[in-house]
C-alpha cells in the first residue's frame, strides 16, 4: 500500500496542527517542489534525497503490441536519488544520525 497525500496530512495533523493548516502546509510544500522542478532546479532534502530533472534524448523504440519500430521523442524526466542515510535505513542497517 502506498503512502498518500491524505496520509501525510493526517500524520501532520496528529502533531498538533489543525486539519486545514496541515493541508495548507503540504499543498504549499508540493507547489514549491513542482515550481523548482519545472524551472529545472534540483530539489535536495537533506537526509532524504535529491530530485533532479534530466533530459532524455530522442531514441528508437518499439510498439509492444505491433512490434513496429518508431522514434520516441526527446523529453524531460524527474529522477530521484535517495540519500545514504535513507538507503541505510531501507537496507536495515539502522544507522541514524
Amino acid at each position: 500500500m502506498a503512502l498518500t497525500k491524505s496520509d501525510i496530512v493526517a500524520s501532520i495533523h496528529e502533531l498538533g496542527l489543525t486539519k486545514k493548516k496541515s493541508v495548507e502546509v503540504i499543498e504549499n510544500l508540493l507547489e514549491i517542489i513542482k515550481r523548482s522542478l519545472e524551472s529545472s532546479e534540483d530539489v535536495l532534502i537533506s537526509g532524504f534525497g535529491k530530485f533532479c530533472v534530466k533530459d532524455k534524448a530522442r531514441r528508437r523504440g518499439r510498439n509492444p503490441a505491433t512490434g513496429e519500430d518508431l522514434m520516441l521523442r526527446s523529453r524531460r524526466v524527474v529522477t530521484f536519488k535517495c540519500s545514504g542515510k535513507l538507503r541505510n535505513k531501507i537496507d536495515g542497517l539502522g544507522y541514524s544520525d
Side-chain angles (χ1 to χ4, degrees), residues 1 6 13-14 16-17 22 32-33 47 49-50 62 69 91 94:
M1 191 162 105
S6 62
H13 176 63
E14 289 173 10
L17 290 180
S22 299
I32 291 166
I33 292 171
K50 183 177 181 180
R62 182 182 305 260
D69 285 337
D91 285 343

Side-chain angles (χ1 to χ4, degrees), residues 21-69:
K21 191 65 175 174
S22 299
V23 169
E24 187 180 313
V25 166
I26 292 301
E27 291 294 339
N28 286 331
L29 172 66
L30 293 174
E31 190 57 39
I32 291 166
I33 292 171
K34 285 190 260 185
R35 272 189 273 132
S36 296
L37 293 171
E38 286 171 3
S39 302
S40 295
E41 294 178 51
D42 293 345
V43 176
L44 174 64
I45 303 172
S46 183
F48 183 71
K50 183 177 181 180
F51 295 91
C52 300
V53 177
K54 303 254 184 198
D55 292 318
K56 289 190 97 175
R58 183 180 157 123
R59 63 194 192 283
R60 188 186 320 200
R62 182 182 305 260
N63 182 333
T66 64
E68 174 188 3
D69 285 337

